[in-house]
Amino acid sequence: MLSDIIGPVMVGPSSSHTAGAAKLGRLARRVWNDEVSKVDIYLRGSFAATYWGHGTDKALVGGLLGFLPHDERIKDALNIARERGMEYRFFAENIDGAHPNSVRFVLYGNDRTMEVVGASLGGGVVELQEIDGFRLSLKGDLAALVTFHVDRPGVVAAVTGLLAKHDVNIATMHLYRQGRGGKAAMVIEIDGDLKQEAKEELQRSHPALMRVIFIPLAEGDLI
């Protein structure tokens, strides 16, 4: 007889503070799209208040190493990170209106930096909330691309038309802007992944595009 599984398969005591933290680390790693060599981790709310008891610090670093929430290595993630040469530091910060189980990653490497904010919503579900200070929303269950562009006509048509040209199916799409004609972002979740040729074409598909981030498919995450 089959039984229902409630909550995530994980190592640790809490679906929000452990499994969710590991998934947030993995999501930040996917957005960074490279090995993480140096990171500052700013804990907010209950993450900052109770991280030592729930293993949130180990789970976050384990996720940044690419470990799944149920990976036994999470218990020793801090030591493994040091052995692999990852530099990490933890801080606490108070941000008005921030989700109580949220974290800000500042990643460094290869002459670039990136800031990623995410929250653990409960039951192992997470949400990416900001990239480099721009507010948006992404759960990270599918491969995705995020565009940063000037709010001008034709950007959506250019990007979606190019995806259609490469036979890429759009699962969800959301638009965000900071004002008419100002900075804007588009989050598109897709079925499958993008070939390198399509990535290169997307970068130059419209003159208003400033940056395109490709977030690869997550392998093995369990909700």
Side-chain angles (χ1 to χ4, degrees):
M1 181 176 70
L2 297 176
S3 60
D4 292 332
I5 297 176
I6 300 175
V9 178
M10 65 184 188
V11 172
S14 169
S15 63
S16 292
H17 288 241
T18 313
K23 292 187 72 174
L24 282 172
R26 279 174 56 83
L27 184 53
R29 175 189 173 94
R30 288 167 56 206
V31 176
W32 181 245
N33 203 16
D34 199 354
E35 292 295 326
V36 178
S37 59
K38 183 178 179 180
V39 59
D40 290 334
I41 303 171
Y42 294 83
L43 303 173
R44 300 172 174 180
S46 60
F47 266 12
T50 64
Y51 72 91
W52 60 88
H54 288 141
T56 306
D57 51 349
K58 297 175 182 178
L60 289 167
V61 171
L64 289 168
L65 289 167
F67 298 167
L68 292 163
H70 58 279
D71 194 319
E72 292 288 340
R73 293 176 295 174
I74 283 178
K75 298 175 183 177
D76 201 34
L78 301 182
N79 290 330
I80 294 172
R82 284 192 288 267
E83 291 170 0
R84 295 187 182 182
M86 180 194 293
E87 299 178 39
Y88 60 84
R89 298 186 298 176
F90 286 93
F91 305 89
E93 66 178 7
N94 294 314
I95 303 295
D96 289 341
H99 190 281
N101 297 329
S102 59
V103 58
R104 178 167 64 95
F105 302 94
V106 183
L107 303 118
Y108 308 87
N110 297 325
D111 298 320
R112 66 184 177 118
T113 62
M114 179 181 286
E115 184 176 293
V116 176
V117 176
S120 178
L121 306 182
V125 178
V126 300
E127 179 185 44
L128 177 68
Q129 298 179 324
E130 293 182 26
I131 298 177
D132 288 338
F134 201 106
R135 292 193 60 83
L136 43 80
S137 177
L138 178 67
K139 295 295 176 61
D141 297 324
L142 300 172
L145 62 93
V146 180
T147 71
F148 296 96
H149 57 274
V150 179
D151 180 40
R152 291 180 183 168
V155 176
V156 174
V159 172
T160 57
L162 198 145
L163 291 176
K165 170 187 169 184
H166 287 274
D167 199 30
V168 176
N169 190 52
I170 295 173
T172 69
M173 181 171 69
H174 298 279
L175 300 172
Y176 307 87
R177 68 178 185 180
Q178 295 178 344
R180 184 174 181 178
K183 293 181 179 180
M186 177 166 47
V187 178
I188 301 178
E189 292 184 300
I190 60 174
D191 295 326
D193 219 332
L194 284 176
K195 295 180 180 179
Q196 185 60 36
E197 179 186 358
K199 293 178 182 180
E200 292 172 359
E201 287 186 45
L202 276 169
Q203 297 278 8
R204 55 180 187 271
S205 61
H206 195 283
L209 282 171
M210 297 181 290
R211 181 166 57 139
V212 182
I213 296 175
F214 303 99
I215 303 174
L217 183 67
E219 295 292 343
D221 278 336
L222 297 176
I223 301 300

